[in-house]
Amino acid sequence: MDRCIVLVDAGYLLGAAASLLAGEPSRSRIHVDHAALIQGLRERAEAETERQLLRIYWFDGAPDRVPQPEHRRLRVMPRVTVRLGALTRSDGRWAQKGVDAAMHAELTELARNRACSDVVLVTGDGDLLPGMMAAKEHGVAVHLWAVQAADGDYNQSEDLVAEADERRVLDRAWITQAVRAKEPGGICAPQPVPRPEIAAILSAPLPESAHTGAGRAVDEGADTQPAQHEPAARPQHDAEERAAAVKGVPTPKDLAALRGPAGAAPAAAQHPTSATLRWSSDKGWVERPGGGGEPPEAASLPTLAQLTTAEQRWADREEDITAVSGDPYEVGQVFARRWMARLADPARLGKLGGMYPRVPHRIDGELLRYAARFGLLAHKDDQIDEHDRYAIRAGFWREIDVRTAEHATAGE
């Protein structure tokens, strides 16, 4: 059939692009416009093969084969099919498992069924040599594309290069239409400074009771004064120094005894040191000592699911796939924005703000389940990373703060 198909080894394509543009093969060093990249692959494949595109197959690895945000966006693009192998960590490095085998199986099956006349392979792995030879035996023309190597040498198997019918190089000019280095010139930049909201939470001094009750140790001489005596705003370097003085991350029980940092969330209030907060939403709600439980105003707040219609749920899914990056902070903001927009009584926002830093447990559990859709779960115990939880909740509170201020301004 007179059509072309493109098979992309994403690990090779993006790793080689990172080496070319950023100086090392780490994909975290580059920003990828996947829509532009797919469009570029389609246009070039159709131009060079003089055939219409049937489909682009995108092969990549993912932890436990759980689609990451980029995979979720790719697989809803026209003419794109995503195939995921496993992504495992060994000796401090990530490695794909099963991607080459999946590409080999797809290539031979397409050739055997005469689904195309031309196939474009974007890969460098010699393990695909048998599949390439089988495709040629079935009358398929094989085009092999390489990413320009940073050192000008080959970054593909020599046997694979020798067996291909046509060979092309995706040079720097073509790559930079959709991929760019995060740091100019590929120079390693310092680690980004944490968002002020997260840094403020992590740097908050623990109350005296938390040193013993919560099992959190601090260095001798660390600041143990209650947060209400702190200035309204602290320099970032001062917050970092205080964060370094605390071993481990304070639990919500620790935070419950603190006054929320200025600017981190609305209506931060002093909480009794006896408050026990829920930390992991899948561990169940922990009651306050004495059976106080959750305040009635918190228990009465509706969840996002209760406020969402079937049409809105569909639109939310579309937005999650096409527009939400999966950054933990952004996830918290998106959730809070939807929840507040659908809340019939804006006055309830004031009640919520008074509970800071507590997120009502029903909403908190729903928030973390929503975040889990974006691949934020740890691989072994299906728990969200502790720092990611802080980022998710910081994003939630920041959006609550912004929207509450907007309502207050509009009411004046």
Side-chain angles (χ1 to χ4, degrees):
M1 197 172 288
D2 292 339
R3 297 180 295 191
C4 70
I5 289 178
V6 181
L7 275 65
V8 180
D9 179 350
Y12 166 77
L13 172 59
L14 301 182
S19 293
L20 177 64
L21 302 180
E24 60 178 83
S26 173
R27 289 161 61 169
S28 64
R29 298 290 302 277
I30 56 174
H31 173 78
V32 183
D33 183 340
H34 289 90
L37 182 58
I38 292 297
Q39 185 62 27
L41 290 169
R42 177 172 186 166
E43 292 175 353
R44 182 154 182 166
E46 290 182 336
E48 293 196 3
T49 63
E50 299 181 351
R51 301 285 189 268
Q52 285 190 336
L53 177 78
L54 173 62
R55 191 173 298 114
I56 294 176
Y57 288 89
W58 185 272
F59 295 86
D60 202 1
D64 298 328
R65 291 186 168 85
V66 175
Q68 302 299 292
E70 65 184 83
H71 303 139
R72 300 170 72 235
R73 289 193 292 272
L74 281 164
R75 64 185 184 180
V76 296
M77 292 181 183
R79 305 278 178 157
V80 176
T81 295
V82 175
R83 298 280 190 258
L84 295 180
L87 190 63
T88 59
R89 191 172 182 84
S90 177
D91 297 329
R93 302 186 63 181
W94 290 100
Q96 295 182 158
K97 299 293 183 182
V99 172
D100 296 334
M103 288 188 70
H104 177 275
E106 199 73 58
L107 175 58
T108 54
E109 189 69 13
L110 292 169
R112 184 182 299 112
N113 293 327
R114 302 186 182 279
C116 60
S117 60
D118 296 73
V119 63
V120 175
L121 292 177
V122 186
T123 185
D125 200 322
D127 290 345
L128 278 178
L129 183 60
M132 178 186 285
M133 297 173 65
K136 291 174 63 177
E137 291 172 358
H138 284 92
V140 175
V142 179
H143 304 251
L144 182 66
W145 291 359
V147 176
Q148 178 183 342
D151 57 4
D153 201 354
Y154 281 110
N155 55 12
Q156 291 176 305
S157 161
E158 185 176 340
D159 292 334
L160 206 63
V161 172
E163 192 66 29
D165 294 308
E166 300 285 347
R167 294 173 291 277
R168 294 290 186 273
V169 174
L170 304 176
D171 59 17
R172 180 186 291 268
W174 189 91
I175 291 293
T176 51
Q177 293 177 22
V179 183
R180 61 177 174 81
K182 290 184 177 178
E183 298 85 27
I187 300 174
C188 293
Q191 290 296 320
V193 176
R195 289 185 174 89
E197 295 83 2
I198 304 173
I201 293 174
L202 297 180
S203 64
L206 299 182
E208 190 65 34
S209 62
H211 299 320
T212 57
R216 300 283 181 170
V218 295
D219 291 335
E220 293 185 2
D223 182 11
T224 58
Q225 295 299 318
Q228 63 266 28
H229 298 309
E230 296 295 328
R234 298 295 299 264
Q236 181 66 32
H237 72 275
D238 189 20
E240 291 175 353
E241 289 176 359
R242 291 169 58 196
V246 179
K247 294 181 179 178
V249 180
T251 67
K253 180 177 179 180
D254 302 334
L255 296 178
L258 303 176
R259 181 184 300 276
Q270 183 72 21
H271 293 273
T273 57
S274 61
T276 301
L277 301 184
R278 177 181 184 170
W279 176 227
S280 177
S281 64
D282 50 5
K283 296 294 185 182
W285 174 247
V286 179
E287 299 290 347
R288 287 187 180 185
E294 192 172 32
E297 59 269 24
S300 65
L301 287 171
T303 63
L304 178 60
Q306 292 172 331
L307 299 171
T308 302
T309 65
E311 292 78 9
Q312 288 172 326
R313 188 171 294 108
W314 178 272
D316 290 347
R317 274 293 192 179
E318 286 291 309
E319 182 184 9
D320 289 344
I321 293 171
T322 59
V324 181
S325 70
D327 173 76
Y329 186 85
E330 181 189 7
V331 166
Q333 287 183 301
V334 171
F335 181 92
R337 189 180 308 127
R338 291 174 184 167
W339 184 75
M340 287 183 289
R342 296 164 195 173
L343 196 62
D345 183 9
R348 288 189 165 188
L349 292 179
K351 296 179 180 179
L352 179 67
M355 300 174 195
Y356 179 85
R358 175 205 300 263
V359 179
H361 75 279
R362 294 166 68 241
I363 297 173
D364 185 58
E366 189 181 36
L367 170 61
L368 295 182
R369 287 192 297 273
Y370 170 67
R373 297 179 189 174
F374 295 90
L376 295 175
L377 293 177
H379 315 323
K380 293 182 179 180
D381 52 5
D382 289 335
Q383 298 290 314
I384 296 178
D385 176 78
E386 195 170 29
H387 188 272
D388 284 348
R389 290 175 184 241
Y390 275 104
I392 292 165
R393 290 170 174 133
F396 176 87
W397 281 117
R398 173 54 66 195
E399 196 66 21
I400 294 288
D401 194 11
V402 170
R403 299 291 169 166
T404 302
E406 290 177 355
H407 282 297
T409 303
E412 292 177 353

